[in-house]
């Protein structure tokens, strides 16, 4: 059903979405390789209902599927792992507009490759988001930590701190909370660390709780299911 319209307001079709993922595969695959995926599927396009899928019951024999035990339920989940362009096209053909990889890879599932700080605005402008991201970068620079940034593909920014799989998720989350508190202290009027949406009072959420085993964010170059088909895009800090 390549002609099926996935973005009604823009007229973009499923076939065009798949073509995009084929074109961007050389850039995107390094961020997906060896990482279990959570699929966010939109079989009817962005105007229809969607669902998340972790357990892949059926997959082509050439696709990589890895059994991983769930921490919460104690059952084995069969995760798809996107190792090449063919697998990326297969995932897109399932209607997975968004592609969500784990923060850790198969060789070190308990040790993430990076810490993620998700800056999620409410009433703030994107200029304000960039200011908070810049502060986050400066805080990390002051302690000798590298950091990369990408757009969320929606209204926010994602800051990534490479960890080299040297620490576990709890250590990453603890470090993220410390950084988050420092950044919030420098922007107290428009940021919050409140996890409950109703308690944020319209402030930008500094989310450091994406750093859990199996928690996922949209991958670099992933399309987002929003009007205009925006993409989560890596940036240089000067951008």
């Amino acid at each position: 059903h390549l002609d099926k319209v996935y973005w009604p307001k823009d007229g973009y079709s499923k076939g065009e979405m798949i073509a995009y993922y084929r074109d961007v595969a050389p850039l995107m695959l390094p961020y997906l390789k060896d990482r279990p995926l959570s699929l966010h599927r939109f079989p009817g396009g962005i105007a229809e209902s969607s669902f998340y899928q972790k357990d892949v019951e059926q997959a082509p024999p050439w696709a990589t599927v890895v059994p991983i035990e769930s921490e919460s339920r104690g059952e084995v989940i069969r995760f798809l792992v996107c190792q090449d362009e063919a697998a990326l096209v297969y995932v897109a053909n399932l209607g997975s507009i968004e592609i969500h990889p784990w923060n850790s890879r198969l060789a070190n599932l308990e040790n993430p490759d990076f810490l993620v700080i998700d800056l999620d605005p409410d009433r703030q402008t994107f200029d304000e988001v960039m200011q908070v991201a810049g502060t986050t970068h400066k805080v990390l620079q002051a302690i000798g930590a590298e950091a990369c940034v990408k757009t969320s593909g929606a209204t926010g920014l994602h800051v990534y701190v490479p960890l080299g799989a040297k620490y576990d998720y709890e250590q990453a989350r603890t470090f993220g909370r410390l950084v988050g508190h420092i950044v919030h202290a420098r922007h107290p009027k428009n940021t919050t660390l409140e996890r409950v949406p109703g308690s944020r009072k319209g402030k930008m959420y500094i989310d450091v709780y994406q750093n859990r085993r199996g928690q996922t964010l949209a991958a670099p170059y992933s399309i987002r299911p929003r009007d205009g088909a925006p993409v989560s895009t890596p940036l240089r800090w000067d951008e």
Side-chain angles (χ1 to χ4, degrees):
H1 305 288
L2 298 181
D3 293 332
K4 188 173 185 61
V5 175
Y6 268 20
W7 281 267
K9 290 185 179 180
D10 304 285
Y12 301 148
S13 69
K14 178 182 180 182
E16 289 174 303
M17 179 190 77
I18 294 172
Y20 164 80
Y21 277 124
R22 291 191 71 177
D23 287 343
V24 83
L27 293 173
M28 190 175 189
L29 285 170
Y31 300 104
L32 303 179
K33 190 174 181 181
D34 296 335
R35 300 182 188 278
L37 295 185
S38 292
L39 310 181
H40 194 186
R41 297 177 60 180
F42 291 77
I46 69 169
E48 305 294 333
S49 60
S50 66
F51 63 96
Y52 283 93
Q53 181 181 358
K54 296 181 179 180
D55 205 351
V56 178
E57 296 179 359
Q58 294 181 334
W62 47 262
T64 301
V65 177
V66 178
I68 299 174
E69 185 172 337
S70 167
E71 283 189 323
S72 59
R73 293 181 288 178
E75 61 187 22
V76 173
I77 298 175
R78 288 165 45 85
F79 284 92
L80 187 69
V81 182
C82 191
Q83 303 292 64
D84 52 30
E85 181 183 314
L88 183 57
V89 170
Y90 172 69
V91 168
N93 193 55
L94 291 175
S96 298
I97 293 175
E98 287 184 317
I99 298 178
H100 289 243
W102 279 34
N103 292 353
S104 53
R105 288 177 286 179
L106 296 175
N108 297 286
L109 282 177
E110 310 305 323
N111 294 63
D113 292 306
F114 38 75
L115 160 79
V116 184
I117 298 174
D118 179 7
L119 303 178
D120 185 10
D122 188 318
R123 304 168 187 168
Q124 292 71 40
T125 65
F126 196 67
D127 282 344
E128 290 179 274
V129 182
M130 289 192 291
Q131 289 170 3
V132 175
T135 297
T136 306
H137 188 208
K138 289 175 183 176
V139 169
L140 292 163
Q141 280 183 313
I143 58 173
E146 295 182 26
C148 306
V149 65
K150 69 179 178 69
T151 66
S152 68
T155 56
L157 288 168
H158 296 157
V159 178
Y160 283 72
V161 183
L163 300 178
K166 295 179 181 179
Y167 312 98
D168 62 30
Y169 276 103
E170 181 57 35
Q171 289 171 305
R173 195 160 56 249
T174 299
F175 177 59
R177 282 199 297 266
L178 292 171
V179 174
H181 278 286
I182 295 170
V183 174
H184 169 58
R186 297 187 184 182
H187 297 273
K189 293 183 179 180
N190 64 349
T191 69
T192 180
L193 293 165
E194 284 285 348
R195 298 182 69 179
V196 179
S199 301
R200 294 176 191 163
K201 300 178 180 179
K203 295 183 177 181
M204 183 189 317
Y205 181 37
I206 301 174
D207 185 0
V208 298
Y209 293 97
Q210 300 290 348
N211 302 285
R212 298 194 302 271
R213 183 183 188 269
Q215 188 75 24
T216 61
L217 283 173
Y221 303 105
S222 174
I223 310 174
R224 304 302 302 274
R226 300 167 66 91
D227 289 339
V231 169
S232 183
T233 307
L235 302 172
R236 298 188 310 268
W237 281 106
D238 65 339
E239 293 179 291

